[in-house]
């Protein structure tokens, strides 16, 4: 005996929800699941673009980094006694560019064998050569701002870490800087007075000389303006790059020499920056310094501008 046709049809479309409890659960889930998915998507998108309150951009470290000046500076009392750099500080800022890698025959830091012939000369001769320059090394390693005492400290630091046992140089007594401004002022005063007297006596000649000086000083003024606008690059050059680039050590393009810089300028600033970061030829990475990419780029631009 077979069932009626309408009974079979109804059994095939029977609903999965059979009780009121199942119906209630289905309704609740129909609301909760879409809402949960929406909340998760919003959080996912918001976490990657959040820039306001509650994000890392509002931490003290992030704020300090954004507002810090491009070039650091500190106030120094002009009348205060000079604070000399230690031998290690001078080595890291000036000498390391060559002596950390042994560029152009420079004795490598810590290498007793390469330093032995120089140590035999004695401390005084080593300091004399360092101050006045010798071979491929320019006077004071190219950093003319160093005091003789600071150079002596650097020599003692390098040699004593390379097999020598020289005593630490004694700091000079007094401060010669206190007497220099006064002497300079007394010397400048008569010169100024003489110039005024000469101008009054021959106004036409003075006017002509002034006009000629103005014309001749135009290129120098442009160079000065370019240097002033790139203080970061100038600072790094004078503290690190000057050691090799001031005299063209080991094939380094010489500062201000248009011809020696021409092949490098053709490669572009990005290529030169890449080589400066990773090191190329005899030049160690970052010139042996701890300079940032931005500082290196500024120094390269400074040297390129000087060679135009």
């Amino acid at each position: 005996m077979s069932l009626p046709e309408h009974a079979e049809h109804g059994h095939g479309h029977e609903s999965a929800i059979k009780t009121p409890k199942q119906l209630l659960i289905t309704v609740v889930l129909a609301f909760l699941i879409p809402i949960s998915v929406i909340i998760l998507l919003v959080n996912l998108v918001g976490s990657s673009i959040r820039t306001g309150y509650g994000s890392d951009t509002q931490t003290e470290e992030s704020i300090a980094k954004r507002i810090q000046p491009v070039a650091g500076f500190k106030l120094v009392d002009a009348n205060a006694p000079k604070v000399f750099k230690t031998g290690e500080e001078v080595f890291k800022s000036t000498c390391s560019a060559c002596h950390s890698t042994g560029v152009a025959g420079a004795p490598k830091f810590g290498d007793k064998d390469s330093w032995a012939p120089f140590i035999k000369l004695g401390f005084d001769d080593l300091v004399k050569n360092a101050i006045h320059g010798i071979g491929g090394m320019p006077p004071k390693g190219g950093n003319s701002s160093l005091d003789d005492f600071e150079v002596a400290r650097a020599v003692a630091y390098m040699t004593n870490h390379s097999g020598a046992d020289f005593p630490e140089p004694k700091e000079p007594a007094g401060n010669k800087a206190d007497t220099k401004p006064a002497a300079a002022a007394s010397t400048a005063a008569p010169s100024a007075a003489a110039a005024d007297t000469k101008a009054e006596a021959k106004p036409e000649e003075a006017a002509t000389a002034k006009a000629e000086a103005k014309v001749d000083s135009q290129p120098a003024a442009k160079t000065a303006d370019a240097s002033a606008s790139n203080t970061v690059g100038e600072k790094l050059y004078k503290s690190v790059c000057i050691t090799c680039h001031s005299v063209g050590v080991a094939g380094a393009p010489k500062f201000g020499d248009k011809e020696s810089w021409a092949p490098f300028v053709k490669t572009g600033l990005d290529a030169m920056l890449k080589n400066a970061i990773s090191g190329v030829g005899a030049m160690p990475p970052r010139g042996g310094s701890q300079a940032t990419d931005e500082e290196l780029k500024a120094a390269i631009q400074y040297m390129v501008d000087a060679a135009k």
Side-chain angles (χ1 to χ4, degrees):
M1 181 177 177
S2 61
L3 294 174
E5 185 179 350
H6 67 276
E8 292 181 358
H9 185 272
H11 180 72
H13 291 278
E14 185 178 355
S15 174
I17 302 173
K18 298 179 179 180
T19 65
K21 184 178 180 180
Q22 291 178 341
L23 177 61
L24 180 61
I25 293 174
T26 302
V27 172
V28 172
L29 292 176
F31 280 97
L32 290 180
I33 293 176
I35 292 174
S36 299
V37 172
I38 292 173
I39 292 174
L40 290 174
L41 289 174
V42 170
N43 287 334
L44 178 62
V45 175
S47 63
S48 61
I49 62 174
R50 187 183 300 169
T51 57
Y53 180 79
S55 67
D56 293 339
T57 59
Q58 299 302 314
T59 62
E60 293 183 2
E61 183 179 355
S62 298
I63 294 173
K65 187 175 181 179
R66 290 199 301 270
I67 66 176
Q68 69 178 356
V70 176
F73 67 92
K74 62 179 180 178
L75 298 177
V76 178
D77 185 358
N79 297 321
K82 178 178 176 62
V83 178
F84 295 104
K85 295 180 179 178
T86 65
E88 183 178 6
E89 290 173 337
V90 176
F91 169 76
K92 289 182 177 180
S93 65
T94 304
C95 314
S96 63
C98 292
H99 287 284
S100 62
T101 56
V103 172
K108 190 175 180 180
F109 182 81
D111 187 342
K112 294 182 180 181
D113 292 335
S114 64
W115 272 101
F118 298 95
I119 293 175
K120 288 181 180 179
L121 297 175
F123 183 72
D124 292 338
D125 284 346
L126 285 173
V127 173
K128 182 180 178 181
N129 291 336
I131 292 174
H132 299 289
I134 183 173
M137 184 181 72
K140 296 185 178 181
N143 189 353
S144 58
S145 65
L146 291 176
D147 187 89
D148 290 355
F149 171 63
E150 292 173 319
V151 176
R153 272 185 164 179
V155 171
Y157 174 78
M158 288 188 289
T159 54
N160 287 342
H161 280 77
S162 306
D165 189 21
F166 295 127
E168 176 70 17
K170 294 182 179 180
E171 186 168 332
N175 191 350
K176 297 179 181 180
D178 295 337
T179 59
K180 289 182 179 180
S186 61
T187 304
S191 299
D196 293 340
T197 303
K198 185 176 181 180
E200 291 176 359
K202 298 181 180 181
E204 294 181 358
E205 293 182 4
T208 303
K210 185 176 181 181
E212 292 177 353
K214 185 176 180 180
V215 174
D216 294 338
S217 64
Q218 286 181 354
K222 290 181 180 179
T223 303
D225 291 341
S227 299
S229 63
N230 190 358
T231 55
V232 176
E234 181 181 9
K235 181 179 179 181
L236 182 60
Y237 167 77
K238 290 184 177 180
S239 63
V240 177
C241 314
I242 192 172
T243 305
C244 295
H245 288 282
S246 62
V247 292
V249 172
K254 190 175 180 180
F255 184 80
D257 188 340
K258 185 176 181 180
E259 292 183 1
S260 64
W261 273 98
F264 298 93
V265 173
K266 288 181 180 180
T267 65
L269 184 60
D270 291 339
M272 288 189 287
L273 176 60
K274 183 178 179 181
N275 289 335
I277 293 173
S278 59
V280 61
M283 185 180 74
R286 300 183 185 277
S289 72
Q290 300 296 322
T292 63
D293 293 357
E294 290 76 12
E295 291 171 333
L296 286 172
K297 186 174 182 179
I300 294 171
Q301 189 63 61
Y302 176 77
M303 290 187 283
V304 169
D305 290 340
K308 290 182 178 179

